Structure formats: structure tokens, C-alpha cells
Amino acid sequence: MSEARPAPTLPATGVSRQTLRLAGRVGTPGATSPARELWLAMQLPSIPAGGLEPLARQALRFTPRVSLEPPAALLAEVRGSLRLFGGAAALRQRVLAGLQAAGQPARVAIAPTPRAALWLVRAGQDHIVLHGDLLPGLAAQLPLSCLDWPAETVATLRRFGVRNVAELVRLPRAGLARRIGPDRLRELDEGFGRCPQARRHYTAPERFTAECELPVPAVTAGALAPGVSGLLAQLEVFLRVRASGLDGLRLDLLHRGLPATRIRLGLSRPSGNPQYLGELLRERLARAALPAPVMALRLRSGVPLPLQWCSLGLFDRGHSADPEAAARLLERLRARLGQTAVFAVHAVPDHRPERAWRVAEPAVATVPASHWPAAQPPRPLWMLAVPQRLAPPDFRLIAGPERIESGWWDGHDVRRDYYVALAGDGACLWVFRERPPGQDWFLHGVFG
Amino acid sequence: MSDPLAALLGHPGLWRGAGTEMAAAVPTGFRRLDERLPGGGWPLDTVVELLLPSSGIGELELLLPLLRSLSDVGSGAPRWIAWLNPPYLPYAPALAGSGLDPGRMLVVRPRAGGGLPWAMEQALRSGACAAVLGWVNAIDDTALRRLKLAAAEGRSLGLLFRPAQCRDEPSPAALRLALTARDGSLDVEILKSRGGVPARVAGLLAR
């Protein structure tokens, strides 16, 4: 400090675990943090087994600005998230609950600068400090150990009679810089918000991969369910952070001494809903054959894609198509019945009846209606994939013939006389005879 | 004297068959059939059973006006019409020719017959289908009840085609029709209708 200014004394500095707020008070000039930031620091009791990254991914649900502080602390800038989570105290409660659920009981403090927040958690002071003016007042409660400086530096300072950070910042600035180095002085300035501190933000990897070992080797698909839902819960966090969905993922069932069984899931529209993905995976797992007991599971995502939202009409009581529901139905049916069991039909302009349609992919979203002239003469609503020979012709002709001769150019030549016929059981049939008139009648369609 | 009677009739636990307010219905396109059906047409958001001696006797032509009006939603895209396990393939040019967009048809033909009640329930519940036409032979009472609930939830109409032998089985369907062919025309017998009485309409679809 260049000026010998006494630390401002504030009424609430001694109050622990209490939100300190200065409503409408003008801050001491020069003591405010450069950009109005608020940092939440989490100090874990020990280095977590899986590293800090899983926790950092969890923290991304509260704010996009998360920073790692190895070995065992995390920082998150939460000023912009306060309103959403109902204030600093409520946000801290949620973070604590999340850490508890992850099996990581940690200390959490909030301060206007990242370094001050770290000091607070290292000193075991779970304060919420919303304003930079309050930091100098709290400095008397911060022992030198919270600075995380080398032991000899701390020992030197102790020899001066300095016991806490407040006493440290009261020392003449020039002399302090000479004794402990300009870098340490800068740390102090950063802590009190007198100069900004650049922090590298954590960015989560672009694809999700997670493994989970099963407590007992699983021999049935049902025994895999808890492991799968655990992985999907992690996947949900991964996706929510990016406001993204997936259009594909892969679940590997790892066996001992055998190659993994791979289950691929493809979605027609990106989805980030873990229940839905779990339902599809369950269907696939139920059909999968397990060659050997499953020792572990590995889940890999495809590239996360932005979720698409669409607005619904105000007046259409849910009677027009909802692409989301359609896509979900399609995938559910295909997951259980097979990919080719579900399809749509399209009309193709061709005179030959068997070539006038084709199997198509069902259109989930809106497609312009295909304009097809009303068939003259009428066509049956039902078609047989292959014309069927009618052994004893048990019908009476009521309309026809309609001659169809086409296709000599592509080798699928058709020369037939079609008739509408009424069968003995009341069915209305579309039958034909080959030209030149053969004796055999073939059934090609049913009017239904 | 009329007070106890009026009180009894006003009792919420008492359900009166005729004269109650009917749910929305879609005209069948056949005036003589509309007159006999409670609400004046096909009920919506429920399950209708059609009992047939054999496929192709005119059941689709009976349903065409219904399918056309379900596809006509004004603005926006119409919902799918799902065909579950149909005995033959729906023929796209004929669908287009009769005013239905083949692009909005969803055909489900599993190789093995299993999973059909499940698939029909999913289709009804999803809300993605305006109508689900299901050719499901083996289905029990519980599954039928589930279909009915799913139809109400997904605001969809389930049309179940079953063999005529199922005529005497009890069914929770809101409407049960037995269809028979006679000389190229279709006779419709209303076996059961919610809020209506059994009736018979002869000679529809004369051709």
C-alpha cells in the first residue's frame, strides 16, 4: 500500500456466516473490484480421486465461468447467476448440496475477487462477502497461512510480528515489495481488488466419455440399469452445460477377455433428456445378447448439437404435428421393432402400379403435401408387394379392363389388363391378366 | 313429488345413458350412420373397434372421410396417421388420390407379430398421431383399457380392426361396430356405443 490509510472499520466484520451487505453505500474510492465480479471458491478437504474436472463440470451448471485452482480448489464467477438461483446464500446452499451429493464435503465462500474467496475458504471462513469494501475489514481474521505462500516467507513475516493479512497490508509497500517480492505484493492487490487477475476458464471437453465399473459382474440386461442411469446422469450434466442434445451415442459393455459389446443409438433429432435416452437404451439392452458377464460400462457421446425449439400455434389445441413427439415415437418404435419395421410411403409418377410408390423415411417435421392428381381410374388403397396368383378365380368382374403397358425401356416390361372384381366374401379386388391374354389371374390390390 | 326424483337425477354418481353431453365427434361422412351414432359421428380421443369377417370389404372406404377430416388442421402440418400391422401395404397413389397426404402416413410392420399392443399404445400416447389404425388380433381386456387411456392422453383416435369372432368378448371400447359385406355394399351393426343404443345401418358404400 502506498498510502497509510487505515482499514475502514465496518460494523459487521466480526459476524461470521452472515451475509454482509451495504445497501446503497458508496464504496471507498479505489477499493472496488475492477469489474463487478463475485467469485465462489470451493476448497475440498483432499485432492479428489477423479481430479477436479468432474467437479468443474458440475459447477458449470451454475455459471459458464469456472476456473480450476489445483490441487484441491475450484473457483466460479457467480455475479450473473445470483438472480437465477435466488441470491448468494441460496446459491451457496445449492453448491454445498451438490458437493455433498458428489461425496465431496467442501468449504464454500463468496468474495468479490477470486483470490479473496480462496483466502476465505483456506482460512475456514465461510463468509459471503458481496462488496469489495468489506474485504479489508475481514483481513484481520485471515491468518498468513491462507495466502499459501512458501514457509520461509511466512516465517520472515512472523518475525516482523505480522500475524494476519490486515497487519501485512499495513506494512510500507516499498519495503514489503523488497522483502517478499513484487509478485507477492501483486497477489495482495489482486485479493483486495486493486488490480485485476486474469484467470483461465475451464472448458469442458467436446465429447462425453465416462466409464463405470459394476460392483458385481452383470449377466442380465436388467442388472445393467443402475450403472446406465448413473452414466446418463453424468451425461445430462454434460449436455445441460452446453444447452445441447445428442443425435447419437455408444454404450460399450466391457467383458473380461472378450471384445466389448457395442450398442449404438442414433436419434433422428438431438435430445438431451436422460429419461428418454435411458428408455431407448433399455429397449436396446433388452434385445442385446450378452456373450459374457459385463464387468464395466463405457458411455461415449457423439458431437453435442444445439437443441432446436419450435413455437406452437396459439389456437391449434394440439391438433397439428409436434415434431418432438413424432421423433420420439419414431425412435421408440424403431428401438424395439427394428429400423426397417417403421416407414412411410411416397407416391412416384409411374404408370406401372408396383413402381408408383416407394418406401420413404417418415418425415418428422413439416413437408409440403405432395400434389398428386386424383387417380383416373381409381387405384386400390391396399397393394400386395408381389402380385399373387389366384388359383381358382372366385370373383365377378365389375369394372375394366384398364390396359397398362409400360416399362419396355428399363427391362421391367409390364403388359397387363386390370379389372375391378368383387370376391365371394365381399372384398373388392384389383386383379389383372397378362397380355396377350393368359389364363391366370393375379391379385394386385384390395380396395379396402 | 318430483323433488326426490330431481335430486336423484342430479346425483353426481348417476350416469345417464342418453341425453348427456357428448364428447366431440367427427361426422362419418355417411348421413344414415351419423344419425345412429351418439354425438353424430366418430368419437374422438378414444378407442373404436371394428369387427370384420375378412379384410378389404370396405372398411377403409368407410374411414376415408374421417381420416380426411383428421388431416385437415388448417394451419400447420397434420399429425401422422399410423398403420400398425396392416394386412397389405397402404398404396401411396390411391391415398393421394383420395385426398390424404401419403407423407403423413406412418406404416409399422414388424417382422414378428409381437409388440403390437405395445406399439399401438406408444403411438396413441405420443400425441404424434391423429389416428392409429391397428390390426391386432390377440389383445386382452387389460391391454384394451390401456389403449383407451393412452388415446385420451395423446388426444388420438385408436381404430382397432379385429376378427368377427371377437364379437361376444366384452370390450371397453367406446364404440364397437361389426361390418359385413353384402352384394358389394357394407352393412354396419353398432354393437356398443357410449351413450347410444345398438342399431343397424345397411347398404353403405354401394358399388
Side-chain angles (χ1 to χ4, degrees):
Chain A
M1 282 173 137
S2 55
E3 50 198 356
R5 185 161 46 83
T9 48
L10 296 165
T13 46
V15 184
S16 179
R17 286 188 166 273
Q18 191 177 343
T19 307
L20 308 173
R21 187 188 294 272
L22 283 179
R25 196 182 145 142
V26 181
T28 319
T32 48
S33 64
R36 290 201 6 110
E37 289 182 340
L38 199 58
W39 287 84
L40 181 144
M42 293 164 247
Q43 175 76 41
L44 305 167
S46 59
I47 303 171
L52 286 170
E53 302 212 348
L55 285 173
R57 286 200 284 273
Q58 297 263 356
L60 281 172
R61 78 171 74 175
F62 299 110
T63 168
R65 296 175 65 190
V66 172
S67 182
L68 304 183
E69 181 70 27
L74 277 179
L75 286 161
E77 203 285 309
V78 294
R79 174 70 75 185
S81 316
L82 290 185
R83 254 178 83 100
L84 179 63
F85 291 97
L91 176 62
R92 205 183 73 132
Q93 279 308 321
R94 286 183 83 134
V95 172
L96 281 171
L99 287 164
Q100 198 76 41
Q104 298 284 354
R107 288 196 169 278
V108 174
I110 297 180
T113 66
R115 208 169 285 285
L118 279 175
W119 290 344
L120 286 170
V121 283
R122 285 188 196 137
Q125 313 259 356
D126 298 352
H127 286 297
I128 297 177
V129 185
L130 293 180
H131 204 284
D133 291 355
L134 301 170
L135 286 174
L138 280 171
Q141 296 175 31
L142 299 173
L144 290 181
S145 60
C146 75
L147 296 172
D148 199 21
W149 286 353
E152 57 266 33
T153 313
V154 174
T156 312
L157 292 171
R158 286 240 167 82
R159 262 185 276 123
F160 299 161
V162 174
R163 283 159 304 157
N164 57 41
V165 177
E167 289 171 359
L168 178 63
V169 296
R170 244 179 260 137
L171 292 177
R173 203 175 158 84
L176 193 59
R178 206 169 53 244
R179 285 174 194 278
I180 63 172
D183 292 349
R184 305 266 174 253
L185 201 60
R186 185 176 167 83
E187 274 188 31
L188 286 176
D189 287 344
E190 286 168 1
F192 287 100
R194 294 193 188 92
C195 67
Q197 181 190 1
R199 289 208 66 96
R200 182 185 295 275
H201 293 307
Y202 172 73
T203 47
E206 270 317 300
R207 282 176 196 232
F208 176 84
T209 307
E211 249 187 76
C212 130
E213 207 157 307
L214 297 177
V216 195
V219 285
T220 62
L224 300 173
V228 171
S229 54
L231 289 174
L232 286 173
Q234 291 178 40
L235 178 65
E236 185 202 6
V237 171
F238 172 86
L239 290 174
R240 193 192 291 163
V241 163
R242 291 166 180 74
S244 299
L246 289 180
D247 66 350
L249 55 82
R250 199 182 85 198
L251 181 70
D252 294 349
L253 313 178
L254 307 178
H255 311 288
R256 194 191 298 278
L258 277 176
T261 308
R262 292 185 171 178
I263 292 177
R264 281 174 206 280
L265 201 65
L267 309 181
S268 57
R269 280 171 78 84
S271 167
N273 184 343
Q275 279 96 32
Y276 175 55
L277 293 172
E279 203 175 302
L280 292 181
L281 273 179
R282 261 198 303 285
E283 290 292 347
R284 295 291 302 272
L285 282 173
R287 287 196 301 151
L290 301 181
V294 180
M295 311 303 286
L297 300 170
R298 189 194 303 134
L299 189 68
R300 279 171 193 272
S301 79
V303 181
L305 299 167
L307 291 173
Q308 294 167 7
W309 309 97
C310 71
S311 35
L312 295 175
L314 184 57
F315 299 109
D316 70 350
R317 293 174 57 237
H319 277 177
S320 64
D322 171 13
E324 200 67 33
R328 274 202 299 270
L329 171 65
L330 192 60
E331 278 149 14
R332 252 184 214 142
L333 292 175
R334 282 185 164 168
R336 176 125 163 201
L337 305 174
Q339 187 74 14
T340 54
V342 187
F343 56 92
V345 288
H346 273 196
V348 177
D350 196 310
H351 287 291
R352 289 165 288 181
E354 60 266 52
R355 294 187 167 245
W357 74 283
R358 65 181 169 85
V359 166
E361 178 66 18
V364 164
T366 318
V367 284
S370 50
H371 291 287
W372 187 260
Q376 289 289 343
R379 291 281 179 262
L381 283 162
W382 269 337
M383 240 4 212
L384 274 68
V386 181
Q388 179 191 331
R389 190 187 300 265
L390 290 170
D394 167 31
F395 50 75
R396 121 181 110 80
L397 302 180
I398 54 176
E402 178 196 355
R403 182 156 298 173
I404 295 178
E405 285 198 44
S406 184
W408 51 265
W409 55 87
D410 63 3
H412 295 90
D413 199 356
V414 161
R415 302 163 78 190
R416 297 169 184 162
D417 280 344
Y418 277 89
Y419 296 84
V420 180
L422 201 58
D425 62 356
C428 200
L429 310 176
W430 205 41
V431 296
F432 71 81
R433 251 194 326 197
E434 299 272 5
R435 287 192 71 243
Q439 293 308 306
D440 289 338
W441 288 94
F442 290 87
L443 174 65
H444 205 178
V446 179
F447 280 86
Chain B
M1 170 161 177
S2 67
D3 278 349
L5 190 60
L8 184 63
L9 289 178
H11 192 276
L14 190 69
W15 183 79
R16 299 173 69 192
T20 49
E21 197 175 322
M22 287 309 301
V26 176
T28 60
F30 303 94
R31 196 179 43 79
R32 285 190 295 137
L33 188 56
D34 283 349
E35 286 167 359
R36 298 294 184 157
L37 288 173
W42 299 106
L44 285 178
D45 307 342
T46 185
V47 172
V48 172
E49 250 185 89
L50 298 147
L51 308 180
L52 309 167
S54 63
S55 291
I57 59 170
E59 68 273 27
L60 289 187
E61 235 169 291
L62 181 71
L63 294 174
L64 275 181
L66 166 71
L67 300 183
R68 267 197 293 268
S69 65
L70 287 176
S71 301
D72 181 21
V73 291
S75 66
R79 295 191 285 169
W80 276 333
I81 291 171
W83 302 60
L84 252 72
N85 196 27
Y88 311 101
L89 279 169
Y91 190 46
L95 290 169
S98 49
L100 292 170
D101 179 6
R104 301 314 291 165
M105 306 288 146
L106 184 74
V107 187
V108 183
R109 290 193 95 179
R111 269 184 302 265
L116 281 172
W118 171 85
M120 186 154 183
E121 190 185 331
Q122 293 295 323
L124 285 170
R125 178 162 290 144
S126 68
C129 304
V132 182
L133 286 66
W135 284 261
V136 184
N137 292 334
I139 189 164
D140 59 4
D141 191 51
T142 323
L144 274 171
R145 270 173 215 285
R146 290 182 64 101
L147 290 186
K148 206 174 158 186
L149 290 175
E153 195 180 313
R155 310 173 61 93
S156 180
L157 175 62
L159 293 156
L160 204 54
F161 299 86
R162 301 180 71 194
Q165 294 83 1
C166 305
R167 188 186 169 106
D168 296 328
E169 291 175 19
S171 159
L175 180 64
R176 294 189 95 198
L177 304 179
L179 311 184
T180 40
R182 185 165 53 86
D183 287 343
S185 70
L186 190 67
D187 289 0
V188 178
E189 190 183 348
I190 303 172
L191 298 177
K192 172 192 173 187
S193 59
R194 193 176 51 195
V197 288
R200 196 180 174 87
V201 183
L204 294 178
L205 305 173
R207 49 192 176 195

